[in-house]
Amino acid sequence: MRQDDVGNNAEMIPEEAANYIKNNFNKGNIACMTGAGISAESGIPTFRGKGGLWEKYRPEIYATTMGLVSTFENKPEKIVDFLNDFYPFLLNAKPNPGHIALAVMQKEGILKAVVTQNIDSLHQQAGSRSVIELHGNAFRIRCTDCLKTIACEKDRIKEMVELLKMYRRQRLQLLRILSRYFPKCECGGRFRIDIVLFGETLPPDALKEAYRVLENCSLLLVIGTSLVIYPVASLPLYVKERGVKIVEINNEPSNFPCDLFIQGKAGEILPEILKIL
Ligand code: BV8
Ligand code: ZN
């Protein structure tokens, strides 16, 4: 739903949104930031809100190192069950029309880059080239010490989750399996899934790259994110301070003071906008 100047919800007309976008960008200088909402139509649960992951799994346990380690010590089956619940969504997900529309905008030189909080690789699978992953990637492993990353094939992850499920209560067996899939690094560190947990710093290079992209954009699309996680949630403010227009696409407002709020599903709205651009 487009909000008119006095903030009333006016009927969202894709043409208006597209004209707004057309009038606010010099070709190729649109940037976008995405969150879990753009992958919702690919079947991956979002984190917050109705049916969100954190409704079922407390983030302080399942999205912090301390929570994961202490739960693994006492009740390893809880971690195994979480992985067994969460990973199949990621393994089976395919890009939806929202991801594809952004990839086409990039190919046509309209969109500069995608800054994402998502870890599902769906932007890359849709054909987006410059994807800046601020919270890591579920199909990559990273060394705890030297931060070296290695891609981890989906089949390998699937195999690991299956094996863990077989030994869900046997901690020693589980440790043996984990050390096989997360080997030692030649630097002496150990590999782990390359996902940024709470209390962990974001990958410095990715964060630097995100600032560079946002520094030069003349319009920012903020798509499918509740903007509650920092430091990512502060990025649109940084863009707004530069006087750059911000268009939010979300099925409910994130309460960020954007210039244009388009209510609805990213997988429906983005192809509409692309058609008119
Ligand atoms: C850090 C695990 C330095 C990975 C996640 C101030 C500055 C810096 C840090 C902090 C700070 N204040 C507090 C902190 C700490 C913390 C934080 O932000 N806490 C919050 C609770 C306040 N930040 C951190 O710890 C970060 N690290 O800053 O390090 C440091 C170190 C020590 C101490 C301090 C600082 C690390 C943050 C990353 C944490 N990892 N998860 C994983 O499992 O993926 S958080 C989790 O939230 C995910 O990573 C996710 O990417 C992220 C954001 O969520 P969203 O993508 O927005 O998803 P959400 O479900 O919330 O919303 C979905 C949206 O989509 C909704 O708006 C919905 O309406 C919409 N939607 C749904 N369907 C559709 C749709 N829209 C369109 N179409 C649809 N179809
Ligand atoms: Zn290393």
Side-chain angles (χ1 to χ4, degrees):
M1 196 78 73
R2 197 179 63 76
Q3 281 191 324
D4 59 24
D5 342 65
V6 287
N8 301 325
N9 275 343
E11 189 45 43
M12 192 288 283
I13 304 165
E15 288 80 354
E16 258 187 286
N19 289 337
Y20 192 94
I21 290 175
K22 266 196 272 200
N23 302 335
N24 279 280
F25 79 88
N26 326 310
K27 208 133 171 68
N29 262 340
I30 286 190
C32 80
M33 275 180 64
T34 65
I38 196 169
S39 297
E41 291 154 87
S42 297
I44 301 178
T46 57
F47 291 91
R48 295 162 190 86
K50 209 161 134 341
L53 202 70
W54 297 154
E55 255 182 6
K56 203 171 160 192
Y57 296 100
R58 289 173 47 215
E60 49 280 21
I61 295 183
Y62 296 96
T64 63
T65 314
M66 200 150 72
L68 289 167
V69 170
S70 62
T71 309
F72 187 81
E73 283 299 314
N74 307 312
K75 284 195 171 294
E77 65 276 13
K78 289 179 81 171
I79 306 295
V80 174
D81 295 348
F82 167 67
L83 291 174
N84 196 32
D85 195 2
F86 182 55
Y87 256 104
F89 289 117
L90 295 170
L91 290 162
N92 303 326
K94 297 260 175 304
N96 66 54
H99 297 106
I100 295 164
L102 290 180
V104 171
M105 282 189 206
Q106 211 167 25
K107 279 197 190 93
E108 292 183 359
I110 301 169
L111 184 70
K112 201 93 185 137
V114 178
V115 177
T116 188
Q117 300 167 82
N118 297 345
I119 59 173
D120 55 30
S121 291
L122 290 179
H123 284 302
Q124 294 92 324
Q125 287 176 41
S128 279
R129 284 185 309 283
S130 51
V131 179
I132 301 162
E133 295 173 310
L134 292 177
H135 289 168
N137 184 294
F139 304 110
R140 205 171 41 223
I141 54 176
R142 176 187 80 221
C143 170
T144 48
D145 291 7
C146 69
L147 303 185
K148 178 182 167 192
T149 57
I150 308 177
C152 201
E153 291 307 312
K154 282 194 171 186
D155 291 350
R156 209 159 148 69
I157 296 267
K158 202 168 174 176
E159 198 182 84
M160 177 190 77
V161 173
E162 287 304 318
L163 269 174
L164 292 173
K165 208 167 65 175
M166 281 157 71
Y167 298 96
R168 66 190 275 279
R169 290 186 195 281
Q170 299 165 50
R171 213 165 58 76
L172 290 181
Q173 279 290 14
L174 293 174
L175 282 172
R176 215 168 273 136
I177 294 164
L178 290 171
S179 57
R180 195 190 320 163
Y181 287 87
F182 302 138
K184 269 192 157 302
C185 174
E186 67 255 14
C187 82
R190 180 162 290 273
F191 283 98
R192 50 162 276 188
I193 283 285
D194 182 19
I195 292 179
V196 180
L197 300 176
F198 282 109
E200 295 183 329
T201 45
L202 278 55
D205 297 351
L207 197 53
K208 213 160 70 204
E209 179 60 8
Y211 274 108
R212 198 189 57 71
V213 162
L214 297 178
E215 225 143 64
N216 301 305
C217 75
S218 56
L219 180 74
L220 176 65
L221 304 180
V222 177
I223 306 165
T225 175
S226 58
L227 288 177
V228 295
I229 298 299
Y230 288 84
V232 175
S234 57
L235 295 180
L237 228 45
Y238 170 71
V239 171
K240 192 166 179 69
E241 278 157 13
R242 284 181 43 236
V244 170
K245 302 277 186 210
I246 298 184
V247 176
E248 178 173 30
I249 297 169
N250 196 316
N251 60 3
E252 58 199 39
S254 71
N255 300 324
F256 180 82
C258 55
D259 299 278
L260 178 69
F261 172 63
I262 306 178
Q263 180 146 22
K265 295 183 170 180
E268 293 166 6
I269 287 174
L270 287 167
E272 275 301 300
I273 292 177
L274 177 66
K275 253 191 259 167
I276 302 155
L277 277 183

